[in-house]
Structures are given as C-alpha cells and as structure tokens.
Amino acid sequence: MVKLFFVRSAHIIPGMENGIANLLGALSLAVMDRIEHGAREVVGRGGETPAALIVIGYGQGMTNDKLRRILGLSHSGTVRLVDRLVSDRLVERRAGKDGREVALHLTASGAASRNELLASRISAVTSLLDVLSAAERKQLATLIRELLARQDTSEMDRFTICRMCDDRVCTNCPLPTSKGQHGH
Amino acid sequence: MVKLFFVRSAHIIPGMENGIANLLGALSLAVMDRIEHGAREVVGRGGETPAALIVIGYGQGMTNDKLRRILGLSHSGTVRLVDRLVSDRLVERRAGKDGREVALHLTASGAASRNELLASRISAVTSLLDVLSAAERKQLATLIRELLARQDTSEMDRFTICRMCDDRVCTNCPLPTSKGQHGH
DNA sequence: CCATATATGTGCGCTGCGCACATATTTATC
DNA sequence: GATAAATATGTGCGCAGCGCACATATATGG
C-alpha cells in the first residue's frame, strides 16, 4: 500500500507540476484561436496559407521545397498552397538560380496582406496580454525567452516555430542557433 | 521631422512592448503544433475532433448544440463530427431528457482514447517546459494564471478556452466565473 | 555518359467544414 | 387546445486543404 503510493507519485508528479502544463496548453489554444481567426479574416484562407505568406515574405529566396519543410506539409500540398497564393495574386513564381527551383516572391498586394497579417497577429496576442502590468509582461517575456532559448531545436525547427513571427518587432530571436540565418 | 517621430512612436510602441506579443505567439504556435501532432496520432483525426472527445468526456450531459458552441463550428459541421466519432465507436448518441436533444456519451474505448489524448497533451507541453527550473515554472504558472484570471470571458468563452483542458490536473481553473459549471 | 539525387508539377481521393434546407419537438400566444 | 415561433437535430451538396502515387525536368557524381 505504502509502496504503491511511492511508485505512483514518482510517475505522475501529482497536481501542481502538471498544472503549469495544462495552463500553458489552455493559453496557447486561446492565443492560436485568436491569431487564426484574424488571419482568416485578412487573407480569406486557413491552414498553413497565412504562415506561407509570412515565410515567403522573409525574402531569403524561398523555394517550394524549403517552404514545404518549414510548414511541415507534403510536397503536393505545398505546390497547391502556392497555386492558391498565385491565383489570389499574392505571390509570383519566378525562375530560381538553379534551373529546377522556383523562386517565390510576394506581389505588392501580397506584401500588403502580409503586413496586415502580422499586425493582426500582434494585435490578437496583445489583447490577451494587456491585462498584465508592464512589470508582469517583462517578467513573462524573460521567462518565455529563456524557455525558447533552452530548447534543443534544429535549424528547420527554428524556421517552423518562427513561421508566423513578425520580423519587424522580433529583433533578436531567442531560439538557439549556431549562425543567424534570417535575422529575427 | 521631430513631430513625425513622436507621432509614430505613440502609435507603434516600438520594440520591447510588441516583442512579448511576438514571443507568446511563437511559443503558442510551438505548443499547439506539438499538441495537435500528438492528438492526431492518438485518435487518427484532426480539426476539432480531439477537442470534441475531451469536451464530451466532461460528462455534463453534452448535446450536439452545446458542443457546437464550445467548438465554434457550424451546426452541420458538428453533426458530421459526431458522426465520425460514432463511426469510430468512440461516442454513442443516446436519448436526451428533452425529446429534441441528443445526449452524447463516450464508449469505453472513447474514454480510453480521451485519457490517452489528455496524457499526450500534457506530455507535449511538459517536454517544452522542462527546460525551466522548478522556480521558473512556478513563476510562469503564476503569471499565466493571472493572465487568464483577468480576461473578460463569457461563460461560453471559458468552455471554448478549456475545450482541451485536463480535468484530472486542472483542479481550480483561473478563468473568471460567477458560478463554477464544470469543475476544472 | 549514365545513374542518382533534387525540385517541381499533376491526377485522384479523403477529411473537415459551411450553407441551405428539411424535420421533429418544445414553448409561447391567442 | 390549436397554431406560430423557437429550439435541436439530420441531410444534400459543394469547397478548401491536404496527402499519396506518379510524372517530369534539371543537376550531380561515378
């Protein structure tokens, strides 16, 4: 009886310890609900399409295949996603340096939609955050920054996590990196 | 020139202030990516299906229409979602008290899948959190709890935010409520 | 020069979902 | 107590987003 108690407590880490995981899960769900709702209003599409627009806008000579890996989609899914962006006049396919590659570029209205998208995202998160005091927000920022900085992420993981990041406000990305690739 | 500078700085709140929003956005995306990936592995379905299984499992005599509002889906979308859960033998439709309503209940294997789902979710979030020290996690928990407690949420908002919450570990939900409806 | 790797495009089908409509039951009104 | 309105569910239909298998074009290494 006593032995059973110790065994179980060693595995479950009862109560408080998992409470933080549940809280962060709930907050993350609320945050993403709001971000995705705003994104759909801006570009009229869901799934990974808004993220694709943001990633292409980083402008590091994005190709179909790089995009595929960042978004975590299949190859054909990515081609069709780009088809939609092209038919919406937000993206152009140009010739890449390598004759196989396609160089993806935002059109003028694509760049405008991307800016709206980023603003909508920041606004959505801010509306949840602004119940905290400036001091509390600073504390939270420090903790999240540490949390991200200590993750063991591959280069592609970093691009994936940052696939909706606002390169206008995220000047020094906390994610660990041997060499800084995309400046955010 | 100087005037322009002041006007712009008043609107944009440059740098640091939006940095926290971007960080929380990135973290939330990483958290939900991991939760959704695990959920799809457990139940073999995506979208709001995993959340539906969890919500039905709260066992407060869930109906099709309550579920619809909690998940934020259309009516028909919800009916078809329940169709899938029924065809997967995870949920049963029983007669509700009101002759119009359908009472949704988990089958034995539905309850088992739900437990796997909750465990997978906690594990996914924990794997991101455990780079923090116990003290840091406690600090973070306090901040998130405050953030959630100060939100201006309707009753339905609370159910929506909590639609994937683990009622086994979330003993006192921080979300503001006049009367506690679902004990988590 | 030829096999293999890399990058893109296509036919086809499935899952998840919304709109419009149909149906059944309760509640309100006269 | 009959009838209108509200509530709750189910269905036909179509679209968006995505993956699998296959086809094609360009580069790279033996």
Side-chain angles (χ1 to χ4, degrees), chain B residues 45-48 73-74 76 80-81 84 98-100:
Chain B
R45 299 196 181 270
E48 292 297 327
L73 296 180
S74 71
S76 63
R80 297 286 155 62
L81 192 163
R84 292 192 293 274
D98 191 319
R100 297 167 292 190

Side-chain angles (χ1 to χ4, degrees), chain A residues 5 12 14 20 31 33 37 44 49 64 78 98 106 120 132 142 165:
Chain A
F5 171 79
I12 300 183
I20 169 64
V31 167
D33 278 354
H37 178 264
T49 306
N64 222 319
T78 306
D98 191 318
L106 296 184
S120 161
L132 295 183
T142 303
C165 275

Side-chain angles (χ1 to χ4, degrees), chain B residues 156-176:
Chain B
M156 198 50 63
D157 289 338
R158 293 196 304 276
F159 281 100
T160 297
I161 293 175
C162 291
R163 71 190 187 274
M164 298 202 71
C165 276
D166 193 331
D167 48 350
R168 301 170 309 183
V169 305
C170 189
T171 46
N172 59 332
C173 179
L175 287 171

Side-chain angles (χ1 to χ4, degrees), chain B residues 66-84:
Chain B
K66 274 191 210 168
L67 186 62
R68 176 190 80 76
R69 282 184 289 225
I70 293 173
L71 301 181
L73 296 180
S74 71
H75 162 60
S76 63
T78 307
V79 173
R80 297 286 155 62
L81 192 163
V82 173
D83 285 347
R84 292 192 293 274

